């Protein structure tokens, strides 16, 4: 794989990166077995890289009323709404792994209404897509609909902020033509991989 | 798998079907190793079933300036535009098999502009999506853009009619909540399957 | 009338057509007094012609909870939504004849909400337009709204499939620039013609 | 015909109207053979009635580089874009009469791109629909495209202001549920009437 | 300020205008301290000028269940929906003055749902924007929603016609590139000016 | 001002905040004379606060081919596209101050095409709004259009990432109903304040 297949913008070599960024990249490589392209593509601007992943971690790693699989459902549904290939494929893989379900990512990414998920999750995704597409129309009724499914005000902040963050992320990926690693397409689809 | 997971409408038993329809279903089962759900879901209305598959075959099996993989690219891109889970997943599998490419279906279904395909194929899909979304705006310039890539008038009819047919198909699948068979999600993704 | 006024694509002579297609065309000419252009325009591809009209007949001639006028209302409303001149004018004529009403076609084609039709018919057309424009959002509530007006599950299949079929048909007509016969514009408007 | 079939709002009797408004209505009745419903529906607010028809006359009766038929083409195309039944039907009739053409109104109202009109008229209608749908995006290029067809700056003002006025008119008709007179549906369709 | 900064079209000198139009312009100058550009830009077509302002006055000066500030709220919200710079800024100023509130115009122009206004006013603006954006979908339920807030049928006519008139006005301003006077940007924002 | 006027979510007291966040807030208060509400509203989640402002600073304070005023133009145009009251008003103020121009913020926020800015800036904002609204359609032609105005690849990354970041920010503000401080509405409008 060459830089050209990752992004419109040149990708720096690991040796040229600040120590903290190189460490972060080596850590994810250790864990995943490969370096997801988003790390390489964003590393050319260290301050933005640091802020991006700090934001990501603050939302995706925090204790939350949403499970990690539910958070990834939001990411995949939003990627579908924004026609973002990178997040559809890469986070689709993560969702399959977290949910131990080889089907849910395609279902949620193409049309969450037909997905084999709970009514609570469907309400969560309806709200996320409203934040993605028509956030200025969010009102008390939208909050009430989520409360009816047991979501707290903090959960709703989580849904909204994860959606907002990936609206940023999807736009950056589309801007630079970020391509998913080959590995993501298959990950979590074959039983033994789950 | 039960009828409930296939469609909103009850699915007939094979024994209850007219002979020609049962034969068609057994033939596809023989070839694919399973019966794609669209056959079971539509069989309850034999005349519509026959017309649907006659139309499908007339377009997808005919000699054409479009390869079979290119025709499936159109189907998958249109399924993405129409948020049709069944066709996105089922024809995504067929596309992977025909193209011997485990990545192209997700790429074309989410955003054909970022797909690793030829400029000619990109022009073909741009036209297909215009037929799907804004057919009343099709004019001579659209034809000229395709001629510039070597497409003939007959090829353009093929692109347009395949698109139109799957606009029908996507709406029926969405209407009845047609679910893809589990097999389709993985098909064509693993090297030895190619 | 010359081929140029019918469609972008050359129209075959009757003598050059397969026997079954020529017979079908002569039959409709006998009944209507002229050959609707859609028959001539599609005849150049016999297999697609046969499938198209088999599908049409399966939906429009079958026993149904929808009257023939109601089925044509769907066609005209969908043609309006898709800006399809041919179906707006040709099926507008058929609707006027079936409904024995010189006003209903323009009303339904431009804005069914203002049409002088029953609340049941308005609900039917609201559903049809949702299938035409946003089929991925169809859910149980849409079915329930139709049940409240007495529509059965089979009736809803009919509404949906007629809509889906004319979404195909409208796209083909727009693709090839199919023009309505002059006769259709006036048909069913003058009392003695009804 | 009763008030209920004209508009949501009660229609005043002729005897109750100010003299100038009654005179205007009797004049149009004399000329057309009936009173178009828009006159009756708006008469209940005399000041608005006077301003509405003064505006109408200033645009539609003035000397202009646009023929009267061309101005009515704009009205009908805009009515189609705004799904305004009254203007589609009533001005469709006026267009047929002015253009001495029984087909042009339906063509222009459903899809001006397929209408049997001149390229100059097609450019005029493309501009009108941009003013109707996306006026904030009008720029020098749009003016230049019309100049290339020989339209002057004054002609462009006419196209734009006629469009703007009927965007008002269409909204009022939709607001009050204004229904076209029966007479308009047939007017200009039968040769001897032309 | 030169003509070029007012509008695409040349602005006539006061001396060249018909007496009634010059008088109207001098009157508004006397009252406001400057001549709002819309008067100068439209004066080049006296008949249209007279009809435009007669329509404006009939709606904005009449006795109504809507206060003058409420009517200006409608104008500003509609200007926001139509991306009309002139009306957003000029009527924003008038709204601030009438409402004696330096904040309300920006709030209503950008997103009325977040504005610090009454629920009744929010319902009024929701209706206005439906008339502006989707008037063909107005139905009894929309009327009922306004009745629930105490609006009469006449009030609803006022809301609808003010909206419709400024849909005309916004399109004209966008067509000719009408620029707001510098004075409007600040008017009503500084306490002593209120 | 109470918490209720700032956001849907309770705002923490300064004393309850982590030291670094309190310091940042006191610093901005020192500089601006008041605490912009976004600081108070986001402080309740320290990790997200830190990442948000680190991202903001990385983009808005870095050396760039875009001036600070140009970067704020992007923010205001994007806020207009997303109907985000907070950013429209707060960053409108910052833009007025940076550009030393009391008019440009309203112009750019309502319709950048009519704004009194350079062609280069107009191209920049056209690109920003494409990233905001249709990022999946960004392609080489969009890059080429900016290069023609002298923007480098790094400048384009800046435009795109600022847009993407404020697409996040606008959605959060809409989600929590974030209200602008009163001070922002007037800032930069009165000459002596500039």
């Amino acid at each position: 794989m060459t830089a050209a297949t990752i992004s419109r913008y040149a990708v720096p070599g690991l040796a040229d990166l600040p120590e903290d960024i190189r460490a972060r990249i080596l850590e994810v490589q250790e864990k995943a077995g490969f370096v997801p392209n988003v790390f390489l593509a964003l590393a050319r601007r260290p301050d933005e890289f640091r802020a991006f992943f700090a934001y990501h971690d603050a939302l995706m790693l925090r204790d939350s009323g949403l499970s990690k699989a539910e958070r990834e459902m939001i990411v995949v549904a939003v990627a579908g709404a924004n026609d973002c290939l990178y997040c559809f494929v890469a986070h689709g893989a993560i969702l399959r792994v977290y949910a131990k379900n080889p089907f849910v990512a395609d279902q949620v990414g193409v049309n969450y209404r037909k997905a084999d998920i709970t009514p609570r999750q469907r309400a969560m995704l309806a709200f996320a897509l409203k934040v993605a597409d028509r956030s200025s129309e969010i009102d008390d009724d939208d909050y009430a609909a989520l409360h009816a499914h047991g979501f707290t005000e903090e959960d709703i902040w989580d849904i909204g902020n994860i959606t907002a963050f990936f609206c940023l992320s999807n736009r950056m990926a589309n801007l630079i033509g970020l391509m998913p690693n080959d590995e993501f397409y298959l990950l979590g689809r074959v039983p033994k991989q789950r």
Side-chain angles (χ1 to χ4, degrees), chain A:
Chain A
M1 178 173 298
T2 66
T5 65
I6 292 180
S7 150
R8 176 186 183 92
Y9 288 84
V11 165
L14 274 186
D16 301 326
L17 293 175
E19 179 52 33
D20 62 317
I21 292 177
R22 184 167 56 245
R24 170 87 196 230
I25 288 176
L26 292 173
E27 183 196 344
V28 70
Q29 185 176 33
E30 175 73 22
K31 205 153 112 190
F34 61 96
V35 183
N37 287 339
V38 66
F39 288 89
L40 299 175
L42 296 186
R44 59 195 297 283
R45 293 238 185 148
D47 288 346
E48 297 167 34
F49 178 103
R50 291 181 189 107
F52 182 91
F53 287 105
Y55 212 128
H56 174 276
D57 293 353
L59 293 168
M60 303 305 277
L61 306 182
R62 78 189 298 271
D63 281 336
S64 164
L66 312 178
S67 72
K68 287 195 177 174
E70 285 171 339
R71 284 179 254 185
E72 294 294 335
M73 280 182 197
I74 296 170
V75 181
V76 175
V78 169
N82 286 325
D83 294 340
C84 177
L85 178 63
Y86 185 85
C87 291
F88 189 98
V89 172
H91 287 271
I94 302 173
L95 170 53
R96 287 189 295 269
V97 171
Y98 282 165
K100 299 189 194 309
N101 179 331
F103 311 124
V104 67
D106 292 331
Q107 292 172 0
V108 157
V110 177
N111 187 356
Y112 76 89
R113 294 174 199 82
K114 309 292 187 195
D116 189 16
I117 55 178
T118 66
R120 171 186 145 100
Q121 289 165 342
R122 236 186 303 274
M124 174 186 79
L125 295 177
F127 184 82
L129 291 190
K130 187 165 182 182
V131 172
D133 291 339
R134 304 177 286 133
S135 70
S136 68
E137 300 178 21
I138 296 282
D139 64 18
D140 285 352
D141 291 348
D142 298 302
Y143 275 83
L146 290 184
H147 289 316
H149 283 282
F151 289 105
T152 66
E153 290 283 293
E154 293 305 316
D155 295 339
I156 298 174
W157 177 293
D158 284 345
I159 300 170
N161 209 354
I162 291 168
T163 300
F165 176 74
F166 281 93
C167 282
L168 178 164
S169 178
N170 293 171
R171 281 163 179 75
M172 278 308 290
N174 281 334
L175 179 79
I176 67 176
L178 184 63
M179 291 300 282
N181 305 59
D182 292 357
E183 290 86 344
F184 282 127
Y185 290 85
L186 187 58
L187 205 64
R189 294 191 183 273
V190 184
K192 64 179 174 182
Q193 287 183 308
R194 277 182 280 167

